[in-house]
């Protein structure tokens, strides 16, 4: 079952707030024909000081990087996009939401050469619950190793979060779901563990944390970086390394990280129970520390939250 998209009144388009249903593009836009679109997935959390966006500067930096890799001109600075995000969340009266900035190639060219095509920027926000469904954060989900591999490094640049890449993610996800699993874990072209359809993967063995190195087949996840920082902060050794598939089956704990997935335990892979079949101790400790920071329940010692109210107060000039 696909996740439901919950509509809100406004979408940000090129600096203006427009009604949700007016955010339309032509069927022959280059983005529709060829997937020429880069985007971000960000979350804002309800905190005691109102909505706060998790690691907004890092997400906007990745959006800028994606645009640069695909030679798309991003007309807005990080500051302008930050103000756009804050204004949009406030206008839609959301306390918590998913945030989807998109930079896409529009209408006007017929061939494959994208250079010179108009570039349009949108930001959408909408409510979105737990990625792997109700209870997954506590109980975990069942995963399989996908029959689909991640693309080779010099095919689709893994550092860019580009819509076209997500055809691969959709193959991984659909394959897993149709076989009765919640998620698929894809291997790299070299046959080592890479990442899930839309999340990075970690495993725990002997009290230490392992995650695939950034080998050009997986996204540089911002939640991944956050979890590495949190783990090191409490003295857990983290290895970014090559991980053979079978290491997954013999891990004490496995979990996914991502903006959508947050930190979701994996309780089985290919029907092999992981550890004791529910969230292990290190998973639970890291998940609690991460979620506590995200929800503003603990001091934001890493400076990871951007409070919507602070942005609106800092600058009342509309973007
Ligand atoms: C393919 C893929 N890998 C990993 C991630 C996790 O990245 P992040 O933690 O920045 O959301 C995502 C989500 O954006 C993704 O789409």
């Amino acid at each position: 079952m696909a996740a439901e998209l919950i509509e809100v009144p406004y979408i940000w388009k090129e600096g203006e707030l427009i009604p949700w249903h007016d955010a339309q593009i032509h069927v022959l836009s280059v983005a529709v024909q060829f997937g020429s679109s880069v985007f971000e997935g960000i979350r804002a959390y309800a905190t005691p000081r109102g909505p706060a966006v998790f690691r907004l500067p890092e997400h906007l930096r990745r959006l800028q990087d994606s645009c640069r890799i695909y030679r798309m001109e991003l007309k807005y600075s990080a500051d302008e996009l930050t103000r756009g995000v804050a204004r949009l969340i406030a206008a839609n009266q959301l306390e918590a939401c998913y945030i989807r900035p998109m930079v896409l190639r529009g209408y006007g060219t017929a061939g494959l050469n994208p250079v010179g095509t108009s570039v349009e920027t949108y930001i959408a926000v909408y409510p979105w619950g737990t990625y792997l469904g109700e209870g997954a954060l506590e109980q975990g989900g069942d995963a399989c190793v996908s029959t689909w591999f991640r693309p080779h490094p010099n095919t689709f640049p893994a550092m860019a979060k580009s819509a076209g890449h997500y055809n691969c993610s959709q193959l991984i996800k659909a394959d897993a779901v149709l076989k009765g699993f919640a998620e698929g874990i894809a291997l790299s072209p070299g046959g080592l563990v890479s990442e899930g359809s839309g999340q990075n993967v970690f495993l725990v063995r002997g009290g230490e944390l392992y995650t695939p190195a950034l080998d050009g087949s997986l996204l540089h996840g911002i939640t991944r970086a956050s979890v590495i920082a949190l783990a090191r902060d409490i003295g857990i050794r983290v290895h970014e390394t090559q991980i053979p598939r079978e290491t997954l089956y013999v891990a004490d704990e496995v979990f996914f990280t991502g903006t959508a997935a947050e930190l979701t335990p994996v309780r089985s892979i290919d029907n092999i129970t992981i550890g004791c079949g529910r969230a292990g101790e290190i998973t639970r400790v890291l998940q609690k520390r991460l979620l506590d920071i995200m929800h503003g329940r603990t001091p934001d010692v890493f400076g990871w939250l951007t409070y919507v109210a602070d942005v609106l107060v800092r600058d009342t000039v509309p973007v």
Side-chain angles (χ1 to χ4, degrees), residues 161-238:
K161 200 168 159 63
S162 154
H165 300 196
Y166 282 79
N167 283 309
C168 176
S169 292
Q170 290 183 58
L171 290 169
I172 295 165
K173 183 75 181 186
D175 185 47
V177 170
L178 291 172
K179 288 175 179 156
F181 298 100
E183 248 314 327
I185 299 171
L187 305 180
S188 69
L192 298 169
V193 175
S194 180
E195 62 176 348
S197 64
Q199 59 286 118
N200 295 114
V201 63
F202 283 82
L203 51 97
V204 178
R205 189 164 161 119
E208 300 189 358
L209 209 49
Y210 295 81
T211 194
L214 299 173
D215 63 356
S217 79
L218 55 126
L219 189 74
H220 296 44
I222 291 164
T223 323
R224 173 187 183 278
S226 309
V227 166
I228 291 173
L230 287 175
R232 290 194 170 134
D233 189 52
I234 54 171
I236 297 173
R237 283 190 70 189
V238 183

